[in-house]
Amino acid sequence: MATSLQVSGPGGTKSHQLFLLLKDAISSGRMAPGTKIPGELKLADEHQVSRVTVRRALEALTAEGLIMRKPGVGTLVCEQPIGATVMTASVSNLLPNISKMGENSRVRLLEFGYGNPPEGVRERLRLNGNDRTQRSIRVRLAEEKPFSYLTTHVPERIAISYNEDELATTPLFNLLERSGVHLDHATQSISATLANKDVAEALGVAVGSPLISLTRVVYDKEGKGVEHLHALYRPDRYRIEIDLCRADGEDGRYWQPLAPDQT
Amino acid sequence: MATSLQVSGPGGTKSHQLFLLLKDAISSGRMAPGTKIPGELKLADEHQVSRVTVRRALEALTAEGLIMRKPGVGTLVCEQPIGATVMTASVSNLLPNISKMGENSRVRLLEFGYGNPPEGVRERLRLNGNDRTQRSIRVRLAEEKPFSYLTTHVPERIAISYNEDELATTPLFNLLERSGVHLDHATQSISATLANKDVAEALGVAVGSPLISLTRVVYDKEGKGVEHLHALYRPDRYRIEIDLCRADGEDGRYWQPLAPDQT
DNA sequence: TATAAATGTATTATTAATAGAACAGGAAAA
DNA sequence: TTTTCCTGTTCTATTAATAATACATTTATA
């Protein structure tokens, strides 16, 4: 295939486009670890760019540890030692597999304070115009590597039952239930976004990197909002897994999410 | 905040990065329609770039109809008639809400052919080394606007039961069940990635835009792989929703995903 | 050992992106 | 009105990206 890369206005450079193209081919498994990828001249010809441009893309891939190059031999797709410890979260477990994370899990509390929440948060928590919330920003680490950036809003009346230190050491759910709140139901919405500078620094990725975005709102029995979470995850260190089972229902067959095995 | 954009090697140009950041802020709702965004000089200062660079990003946003500019007034975020129809998929519905999409849903078949699948796909489908698969690439549109880019692999023995035209008109699940396959269980994995050139063109987004990535493998009763799906979704037109209910189990309380209301 | 294929390195020229500055003109507010 | 803020326009200078080419070096292989 002789696809040709374009560059028009702020469309990203050719080398960047080629870099993305190759990176995607690797991380999607289309180019398996161990595979020898085409030579620089062949890539240059295939994509209608100069060899310099190909080299830039390959250098970026090398810097990320995705490929290995040897003069006289070629370029090989690396085995990925990084993705070895990918955290997975069953949908049902609102908490990621803490058990798997074990002792290596840690939390950094970046921000902690009270104030008026942004409008979107206030609406979803079903608060009145004046109700204040506690806002906290936390970064979770596994094996000292950050993988999630969590922004939570909790109504002030609930949040006063715990302090800054407790939030830095104890899962928020435990704190909420301890305070007497009866967690009842929740909605989650999953999307994708780009890392801005703050998040990029906290998670150790480049600005503009892709991140999994998850927004969760938890309600109590009365339908009052209890927690609003906006989570950003590094896709190379975190993944959301869902197992489904085909089941028979009243109106025909449908897909039933598997309940978590509470081990 | 004084975030600064970097450009190192093939990291995309600064104007492109700023364009993506602002676009994401708009389409995610962090900058609501009607909002006046900071002036060019302020943006230039905040992101540590020159005004020319800011203008490039804003010109690109204008071209996409995301912002409106008036001399003497400023730059406003447009009301988005496009994003009005965000498609949501309950986790339980493997098919997105076709009902909501109604008559306006359409499929474009971009590729169709048989061959040896990449290793990752072969493993997940539990195929032997020689087993061939049918590979198809489809783009789903709602109201003539593309929102998903689907790459599917189906083992040859199953795929021969339908042809190219049927795939372009009938949901794959229907074709599979028609062929006598008993769909039994599935695993899904959700992540995030960046748009490469092919996908960007098909979905009408810029190269480097964030996309929701979903990989699903469906198995039959015998545990044989039946379908391997790699789906990419535009986050501004598609979202994955999960509703959970706190339930009592043997080992304590846990979160139970809600079964779909099969309406 | 000679050859082919691959990466590494270097040079030059051209084009695009960026920075920094200046100035013109529209629109709102003191 | 005057001031202020914003976009629109134009200019120059600098830096980065790209193309095209040449040559050296490493490695496997015929």
Side-chain angles (χ1 to χ4, degrees):
Chain A
M1 54 170 178
T3 62
S4 75
L5 299 175
Q6 52 161 26
V7 54
S8 60
T13 59
K14 293 187 186 179
S15 55
H16 184 231
Q17 287 187 26
L18 182 55
F19 162 72
L20 289 173
L21 205 68
L22 295 172
K23 181 179 178 178
D24 186 60
I26 293 172
S27 61
S28 74
R30 290 199 301 280
M31 295 206 297
T35 306
K36 197 165 121 184
I37 79 177
E40 295 178 352
L41 289 170
K42 192 167 183 186
L43 282 174
D45 181 60
E46 277 181 0
H47 297 90
Q48 297 289 306
V49 294
S50 76
R51 198 181 152 215
V52 187
T53 307
V54 172
R55 295 206 98 240
R56 293 231 169 176
L58 295 179
E59 279 159 13
L61 290 171
T62 308
E64 290 204 5
L66 292 172
I67 58 175
M68 256 189 44
R69 328 195 62 197
K70 259 192 194 171
V73 180
T75 303
L76 301 177
V77 178
C78 286
E79 312 287 332
Q80 263 108 311
I82 295 171
T85 54
V86 173
M87 200 126 302
T88 62
S90 163
V91 171
S92 316
N93 286 334
L94 289 197
L95 305 173
N97 285 336
I98 303 280
S99 53
K100 276 192 186 173
M101 295 159 49
E103 311 304 310
N104 299 324
S105 175
R106 206 163 64 80
V107 173
R108 271 178 50 207
L109 185 59
L110 299 187
E111 274 192 43
F112 185 89
Y114 291 84
N116 292 104
E119 193 178 314
V121 172
R122 201 186 67 221
E123 282 176 6
R124 282 189 286 265
L125 283 176
R126 296 169 192 163
L127 295 177
N128 295 323
N130 300 344
D131 291 347
R132 284 155 52 89
T133 56
Q134 175 206 87
R135 187 174 93 123
S136 67
I137 298 183
R138 290 170 295 166
V139 172
R140 285 201 105 88
L141 307 94
E143 299 168 2
E144 294 303 308
K145 296 185 211 302
F147 68 94
S148 71
Y149 184 96
L150 312 172
T151 307
T152 55
H153 289 264
V154 177
E156 190 172 30
R157 65 185 160 82
I158 299 172
I160 52 172
S161 69
Y162 56 90
N163 63 31
E164 195 168 341
D165 292 332
E166 290 173 311
L167 185 62
T169 55
T170 315
L172 182 52
F173 272 19
N174 294 11
L175 296 174
L176 292 178
E177 296 214 303
R178 191 191 69 180
S179 77
V181 173
H182 291 291
L183 306 180
D184 186 65
H185 60 284
T187 66
Q188 289 189 111
S189 175
I190 302 171
S191 186
T193 189
L194 300 176
N196 64 28
K197 205 213 172 193
D198 293 336
V199 176
E201 279 181 358
L203 291 181
V205 298
V207 173
S209 299
L211 297 174
I212 303 166
S213 167
L214 183 147
T215 303
R216 180 211 299 162
V217 189
V218 182
Y219 301 92
D220 64 10
K221 281 182 186 166
E222 287 82 37
K224 288 183 190 166
V226 170
E227 181 211 37
H228 185 286
L229 168 72
H230 178 65
L232 296 172
Y233 299 103
R234 280 184 61 154
D236 58 340
R237 297 190 181 154
Y238 193 82
R239 215 178 297 125
I240 297 172
E241 305 273 3
I242 306 170
D243 290 324
L244 298 157
C245 202
R246 195 85 165 137
D248 290 306
E250 299 173 0
D251 308 322
R253 294 166 64 74
Y254 64 95
W255 291 93
Q256 168 72 46
L258 290 184
D261 47 338
Q262 294 285 311
T263 50
Chain B
M1 56 173 175
T3 62
S4 77
L5 299 177
Q6 44 152 40
V7 54
S8 58
T13 60
K14 293 187 185 182
S15 56
H16 186 230
Q17 285 189 25
L18 183 55
F19 160 72
L20 290 172
L21 283 179
L22 293 173
K23 181 179 179 178
D24 188 58
I26 292 172
S27 62
S28 74
R30 290 197 301 279
M31 295 206 298
T35 306
K36 197 165 121 186
I37 79 177
E40 294 178 354
L41 289 171
K42 192 168 184 183
L43 282 174
D45 181 59
E46 278 180 1
H47 296 90
Q48 297 288 305
V49 295
S50 76
R51 198 180 151 213
V52 186
T53 307
V54 172
R55 294 206 101 242
R56 290 227 171 175
L58 294 179
E59 279 160 12
L61 289 171
T62 307
E64 292 204 4
L66 292 172
I67 58 175
M68 257 189 44
R69 327 194 64 195
K70 262 192 193 171
V73 180
T75 303
L76 301 177
V77 178
C78 288
E79 310 291 331
Q80 263 113 312
I82 296 170
T85 53
V86 173
M87 200 127 303
T88 62
S90 164
V91 171
S92 317
N93 288 332
L94 289 196
L95 305 174
N97 284 336
I98 303 280
S99 52
K100 278 193 185 172
M101 294 160 50
E103 313 304 311
N104 298 324
S105 176
R106 206 163 65 79
V107 172
R108 271 178 50 207
L109 185 59
L110 298 188
E111 273 191 44
F112 185 88
Y114 289 85
N116 291 104
E119 194 179 314
V121 172
R122 202 186 66 221
E123 283 177 5
R124 283 190 286 264
L125 283 176
R126 295 168 192 164
L127 296 177
N128 295 323
N130 301 343
D131 291 347
R132 284 154 52 89
T133 56
Q134 175 205 86
R135 187 174 93 122
S136 66
I137 298 183
R138 289 171 296 164
V139 172
R140 285 200 105 89
L141 306 95
E143 299 169 2
E144 294 302 309
K145 297 181 209 305
F147 69 94
S148 72
Y149 184 96
L150 312 172
T151 308
T152 55
H153 289 263
V154 176
E156 191 171 30
R157 64 185 161 83
I158 299 173
I160 51 171
S161 69
Y162 56 88
N163 63 31
E164 196 167 340
D165 292 332
E166 291 174 309
L167 185 63
T169 56
T170 315
L172 181 52
F173 273 18
N174 294 10
L175 296 174
L176 292 178
E177 297 213 303
R178 190 190 71 181
S179 77
V181 173
H182 290 291
L183 306 180
D184 186 64
H185 60 284
T187 64
Q188 289 188 112
S189 175
I190 301 172
S191 186
T193 188
L194 300 178
N196 64 30
K197 199 206 172 198
D198 292 337
V199 176
E201 278 182 358
L203 291 181
V205 298
V207 173
S209 297
L211 298 174
I212 304 167
S213 167
L214 183 147
T215 303
R216 179 210 300 161
V217 190
V218 182
Y219 301 91
D220 65 10
K221 280 182 188 168
E222 286 83 36
K224 288 184 190 166
V226 171
E227 180 210 35
H228 185 287
L229 167 72
H230 177 65
L232 296 172
Y233 299 103
R234 281 183 61 154
D236 58 338
R237 295 186 183 158
Y238 193 84
R239 214 177 298 127
I240 297 173
E241 305 273 3
I242 306 169
D243 290 324
L244 299 158
C245 203
R246 195 87 164 134
D248 290 304
E250 299 174 2
D251 309 322
R253 294 165 64 74
Y254 64 96
W255 291 94
Q256 168 71 45
L258 290 183
D261 47 337
Q262 295 284 313
T263 50

